[in-house]
Each structure stands twice: as C-alpha cells, then as structure tokens.
C-alpha cells in the first residue's frame, strides 16, 4: 500500500469515565425528551407542560424540570407578578438536542407497529 493513507473515523469512546453514561441517563429517562420536545416551540408554564405531556405526574414533571435546568438544557424564569408566573424554555444547548428528539420520535412512530409485533411474538427478531 504505497502512497495510500487510510483514515478511519472511529465512534466516540464509550468508556470515558462515565460521561457518556451520565448524559444518556439524563436524556433517556422516561420524561426528559418529552419535556424538551414539548418546549421546542417556545416557553411554557408548568401547567401547560403538564397538559402537553400525557401521563406525567406533578412530582415527575417537577423533578424532570429540576434536572433539565441543572444540566442547562432548560431555563426557568420566574416573574415577579401576583400570582407568580414561571416559564420554562429550551436553552441554546437544549435546542441542539431538539433535532435528535424529533428524529427519535419519528423513528419510534415509523417502527412502532413492527416493534409491537415483535413484542407479541408475531415476527421473528431482526437479525435471526
């Protein structure tokens, strides 16, 4: 192989001291991506988020928002009004996640029937 240089792109390391796992744990919990997806069009109040995300309890929404704010994916703005008003919005960092959330949601919708059929045992698992 004279004169040929091969470059190979490698996937990012998965054994990086837990950083990848930490981020995956946060964004792959049951509610985080749904909250980010609900906020993609603009800021919402707690009650609006609660209505937008079917099945989430007040406690889980509170915890999920707290974690997303801590991670810098969502911002929380409290207004000095009576009654108090708090809005949540995707941050610039969180906005980089939105296309991935949409792509994953589209993938889930596209493959939902096949996955459900596999769960029921109607189709052999892929790759066998």
């Amino acid at each position: 192989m004279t004169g040929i240089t091969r470059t190979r792109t490698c996937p990012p390391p998965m054994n990086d001291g837990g950083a990848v796992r930490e981020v995956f744990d946060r964004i792959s919990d049951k509610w985080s991506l749904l909250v980010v997806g609900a906020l993609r069009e603009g800021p919402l109040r707690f009650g609006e988020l609660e209505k937008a995300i079917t099945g989430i309890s007040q406690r889980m929404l509170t915890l999920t928002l707290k974690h997303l704010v801590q991670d810098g994916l969502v911002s929380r703005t409290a207004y000095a009004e009576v009654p108090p008003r708090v809005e949540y919005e995707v941050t610039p960092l969180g906005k980089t996640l939105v296309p991935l959330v949409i792509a994953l949601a589209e993938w889930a919708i596209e493959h939902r029937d096949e996955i459900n059929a596999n769960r029921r045992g109607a189709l052999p698992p892929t790759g066998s």
Side-chain angles (χ1 to χ4, degrees):
M1 294 183 58
T2 20
I4 298 175
T5 305
R6 291 185 182 204
T7 57
R8 184 175 179 180
T9 57
C10 296
M14 298 305 269
N15 187 11
D16 64 349
V20 170
R21 186 182 67 245
E22 237 178 75
V23 172
F24 281 3
D25 284 348
R26 171 68 73 232
I27 63 171
S28 69
D29 71 31
K30 187 173 181 176
W31 302 110
S32 291
L33 294 180
L34 294 174
V35 169
V36 170
L39 292 170
R40 74 186 182 280
E41 297 295 325
L44 293 173
R45 296 174 72 172
F46 187 91
E48 294 169 324
L49 272 170
E50 197 173 23
K51 288 176 187 168
I53 304 169
T54 305
I56 194 166
S57 68
Q58 282 187 351
R59 181 180 185 283
M60 279 315 302
L61 181 55
T62 300
L63 287 172
T64 301
L65 286 167
K66 177 182 174 186
H67 291 144
L68 291 171
V69 169
Q70 285 174 342
D71 290 345
L73 299 172
V74 169
S75 65
R76 178 185 187 275
T77 305
Y79 296 91
E81 299 175 355
V82 177
R85 178 171 59 109
V86 176
E87 289 183 341
Y88 296 91
E89 186 172 12
V90 177
T91 64
L93 176 61
K95 286 180 183 178
T96 65
L97 189 57
V98 170
L100 303 172
V101 171
I102 292 168
L104 188 55
E106 289 171 346
W107 181 90
I109 290 166
E110 182 179 335
H111 296 286
R112 174 184 49 207
D113 292 341
E114 183 180 354
I115 291 168
N116 287 335
N118 283 325
R119 288 178 179 170
R120 291 188 306 271
L123 296 174
T126 307
S128 56

